Amino acid sequence: MENEFLHKVNLDSLQKETGLSLQGIADLAEVSVQTVYRWAWDKARQGNRPSYNAFVRLFEKGASVKSLFGVERKEQSVPAEVAGNPEFLAGVEHALSDMKARGIIREEVEQAIAEMKAKGQL
């Protein structure tokens, strides 16, 4: 399946959430203002999307999933009876190990996983 742009970045919301001007967003993302404008364009107009690092910086500055991806972030948790199940935990551990081996998990995620393990949350 071709990677389609399913949502344009909502620049108005992004500015309100981060408190930055378009130039400030561009500086934070290390791109030009014209590139920021293209985040709000569709594929037919040669739109593009922020890089991974730009997404991280924008999230750290207060951007929402809604403004960047057009969907509401849903909190999900595992019921206590499932979370404490050794088979479930082994499955999660296996999936995380597989993702790490494939290079999917970045250093920041690995650190978060280690912290969760230390707190007994995983």
Side-chain angles (χ1 to χ4, degrees), residues 10-23 25:
N10 186 325
L11 296 180
D12 290 334
S13 293
L14 188 58
Q15 286 182 275
K16 288 176 187 171
E17 293 165 354
T18 62
L20 296 171
S21 65
L22 289 176
Q23 183 63 57
I25 291 170

Side-chain angles (χ1 to χ4, degrees), residues 1-16:
M1 180 175 157
E2 186 178 336
N3 185 12
E4 296 288 334
F5 295 160
L6 300 177
H7 176 72
K8 301 171 198 168
V9 173
N10 186 325
L11 296 180
D12 290 334
S13 293
L14 188 58
Q15 286 182 275
K16 288 176 187 171

Side-chain angles (χ1 to χ4, degrees), residues 20-40:
L20 296 171
S21 65
L22 289 176
Q23 183 63 57
I25 291 170
D27 292 344
L28 183 70
E30 298 178 352
V31 296
S32 69
V33 172
Q34 182 64 28
T35 296
V36 172
Y37 276 117
R38 286 186 181 137
W39 295 349

Side-chain angles (χ1 to χ4, degrees), residues 89-110:
L89 294 174
V92 169
E93 186 70 35
H94 177 75
L96 293 172
S97 294
D98 183 56
M99 290 181 349
K100 182 177 178 183
R102 292 176 186 216
I104 296 171
I105 296 181
R106 295 178 51 99
E107 184 177 324
E108 298 88 356
V109 176
E110 289 181 34

Side-chain angles (χ1 to χ4, degrees), residues 73-79:
R73 181 174 183 266
K74 304 242 182 200
E75 291 292 328
Q76 296 189 4
S77 61
V78 177

